[in-house]
Amino acid sequence: MKSKSAVYFTLIVILVLGIAAIGIFGMQLGDKKIPKAKDAINLGLDLQGGVYVLLQAETDATGQELARYMEQAKTIIQQRVDGLGVSEPNIAIEGSNRIRVELAGLNDLEEALQLIGKTAQLEFVDPDGNVVLTGKNVDESIVQYVNDPIKGNEPVIALEFDKEGAEKFAEATKRLAAESDPQKKILFIRLDNEVISAPIVNEEIRGGKAIINGGTEPMKLEDATRTAALIKAGALPVPMKELTSSVIGPTLGLDAYERSVLAIGISIVLIMVILLVLYKALAIPACISLIAYTEINIALFLLLGVKLSLPGIAGLLLSIGMAVDANVIIFERIREEILAGKTHKAAIRAGYKNALSSIIDSNITTLIAGIVLYVYGIGAIRGFGVTLIIGIVASMFTAVVLTRWLLNLMVGFKDFKSKKAFGA
């Protein structure tokens, strides 16, 4: 039985340390590469770098009407950003009339502002200034390539209208095609009152489809992609004013991340040293559990797609403190029971029994605070809440389950029979 305990204990230690080594250094398995843990975690705006913009709605609307406008604006901005191809943007409503936009990995502030702040009102206007149809009649707006005999393979914006738009477009093109003066045959396509295309209509166009090209010059792919996204998303329901904006350079963010990772590593090592000095062999399972705790946190970050930010790292460090605090409470109770004359196994049982209620109470209250921060918080505050919740759940498992299991396995070892070995 004692040999089995030693085998199980050794296997757990090897497994935990092996996973830690892979997480720190990565691993190459044939053609597949397991990256370092710090390189695999998704980083937030403050660590990865990118663009931050805070917009405010300029409207007199209040109550439910304002809330509806803000939800519509958020959805439209989300569609525009998706059209640009920005990965995992963070777009949220702050207060009653503000929208915060975080675009990690995008470093062009002007491009971001042009994309998300435009009213994007698309209009088809005849030479007399009459609006034939608007963006609300557009069902689809995508980028396609056409082979022009002069300009070559050119990106264009392909539009598809709804039933009403198709009828209006056919009627307008039929009327303009019948004009004899070339200036009277132009159908101006305007986006936010700026003419983006001015094709001459030579024939009636039916079927509810049209193409916007660059006119005499080929349209650039990025311009076509951006304009198509704006047209498809439609107009913002209310004008949005830029309150504040900033660009966080990737070098600054990654430097902060590297320093944060180093700080976490140093804190874990120092905590393990202090535990070993104070509690001797009793602290060995706690040290193994602390490493396992870190691994569980990282695994949950990757599994849940958590974006780690600087406040999130602060939440992780706080939860490490909670995990150590739980072990300290348990160890003090165990040491008291050993000094009272109980056997090591009996002392572990009594120590956990006496300490469990205090640990659960403190962790539940902190967990409630984390949930409140996640549900009602925004931006960095919410990130803090996420990592705090994950950390508390992981610490409860490692402190209450894993550490206790390792302690019971270690009790069978001959070298750990004395009171001094357990720091008593």
Side-chain angles (χ1 to χ4, degrees):
M1 187 70 181
K2 292 180 180 179
S3 61
K4 277 188 177 182
S5 297
V7 170
Y8 289 150
F9 188 90
T10 304
L11 287 176
I12 293 170
V13 172
I14 292 173
L15 178 63
V16 171
L17 294 180
I19 294 173
I22 294 172
I24 294 171
F25 303 107
M27 177 180 284
Q28 187 77 40
L29 293 174
D31 296 335
K32 294 184 178 180
K33 183 180 179 181
I34 300 177
K36 298 177 183 179
K38 69 182 184 68
D39 297 333
I41 295 176
N42 292 325
L43 302 181
L45 180 69
D46 53 355
L47 295 176
Q48 184 180 347
V51 172
Y52 166 86
V53 182
L54 182 63
L55 303 171
Q56 179 173 290
E58 294 188 312
T59 176
D60 295 328
T62 57
Q64 292 184 350
E65 183 183 16
L66 177 60
R68 185 174 68 254
Y69 286 158
M70 296 306 293
E71 285 295 338
Q72 290 174 352
K74 176 187 172 183
T75 301
I76 290 170
I77 291 173
Q78 180 75 57
Q79 291 173 343
R80 293 179 181 181
V81 172
D82 290 343
L84 188 63
V86 177
S87 61
E88 300 185 40
N90 186 15
I91 302 169
I93 298 173
E94 289 189 355
S96 61
N97 65 341
R98 295 180 179 181
I99 294 179
R100 174 176 43 81
V101 183
E102 296 179 355
L103 306 178
L106 184 67
N107 299 314
D108 191 334
L109 179 59
E110 289 303 318
E111 182 182 14
L113 291 174
Q114 289 176 9
L115 178 75
I116 64 180
K118 278 184 175 289
T119 54
Q121 182 63 54
L122 180 74
E123 296 176 328
F124 291 76
V125 184
D126 65 19
D128 297 325
N130 299 314
V131 177
V132 176
L133 67 160
T134 66
K136 71 177 184 179
N137 300 119
V138 178
D139 277 345
E140 188 60 87
S141 173
I142 59 174
V143 177
Q144 293 181 346
Y145 279 91
V146 296
N147 192 7
D148 188 276
I150 299 175
K151 293 182 287 186
N153 207 25
E154 178 192 10
V156 298
I157 301 169
L159 303 178
E160 187 171 333
F161 305 113
D162 60 14
K163 184 178 179 181
E164 179 188 5
E167 293 175 355
K168 288 183 177 180
F169 190 69
E171 180 184 341
T173 54
K174 179 180 179 181
R175 174 168 51 83
L176 295 179
E179 296 285 348
S180 56
D181 184 355
Q183 295 300 318
K184 292 289 187 179
K185 299 169 73 70
I186 299 175
L187 181 62
F188 297 95
I189 303 174
R190 300 191 311 199
L191 185 65
D192 287 345
N193 295 319
E194 179 183 345
V195 176
I196 59 175
S197 185
I200 295 176
V201 180
N202 293 314
E203 61 182 356
E204 179 185 357
I205 301 175
R206 291 192 169 275
K209 295 182 180 180
I211 286 178
I212 301 176
N213 58 29
T216 56
E217 295 292 331
M219 185 180 291
K220 293 182 180 179
L221 177 59
E222 55 267 29
D223 292 337
T225 302
R226 185 184 300 108
T227 304
L230 286 169
I231 293 171
K232 185 174 181 179
L236 291 173
V238 291
M240 304 295 293
K241 176 185 177 183
E242 173 198 344
L243 286 185
T244 182
S245 60
S246 62
V247 177
I248 299 172
T251 302
L252 177 64
L254 290 177
D255 181 61
Y257 179 52
E258 294 290 342
R259 289 176 180 270
S260 299
V261 171
L262 180 62
I264 291 174
I266 292 173
S267 64
I268 290 174
V269 171
L270 288 176
I271 288 169
M272 291 168 64
V273 170
I274 293 171
L275 287 175
L276 289 169
V277 170
L278 292 177
Y279 299 104
K280 308 296 188 294
L282 191 63
I284 294 176
C287 293
I288 300 301
S289 293
L290 190 58
I291 298 172
Y293 159 84
T294 307
E295 295 168 354
I296 292 171
N297 268 277
I298 294 172
L300 289 175
F301 289 165
L302 296 174
L303 183 65
L304 300 176
V306 174
K307 276 197 166 188
L308 192 62
S309 61
L310 283 174
I313 291 175
L316 177 59
L317 283 169
L318 177 60
S319 61
I320 289 175
M322 296 285 292
V324 174
D325 182 58
N327 282 313
V328 169
I329 294 172
I330 292 168
F331 291 165
E332 287 295 333
R333 296 292 182 272
I334 292 174
R335 194 156 62 174
E336 289 173 1
E337 299 296 335
I338 290 176
L339 290 173
K342 290 186 178 180
T343 64
H344 287 55
K345 280 195 173 183
I348 291 171
R349 281 197 302 270
Y352 268 90
K353 182 179 178 181
N354 295 331
L356 196 58
S357 59
S358 299
I359 294 170
I360 291 176
D361 288 345
S362 63
N363 278 274
I364 285 179
T365 53
T366 309
L367 184 64
I368 291 172
I371 292 172
V372 171
L373 289 174
Y374 175 76
V375 173
Y376 296 102
I378 53 177
I381 296 175
R382 197 174 191 188
F384 179 86
V386 170
T387 53
L388 186 60
I389 292 169
I390 292 174
I392 290 171
V393 172
S395 70
M396 284 292 291
F397 170 76
T398 55
V400 177
V401 178
L402 184 58
T403 303
R404 184 173 186 175
W405 186 29
L406 291 172
L407 278 171
N408 284 322
L409 290 175
M410 200 176 69
V411 165
F413 296 178
K414 182 179 179 181
D415 295 336
F416 299 142
K417 287 292 185 181
S418 67
K419 293 181 179 180
K420 289 184 178 179
F422 274 25

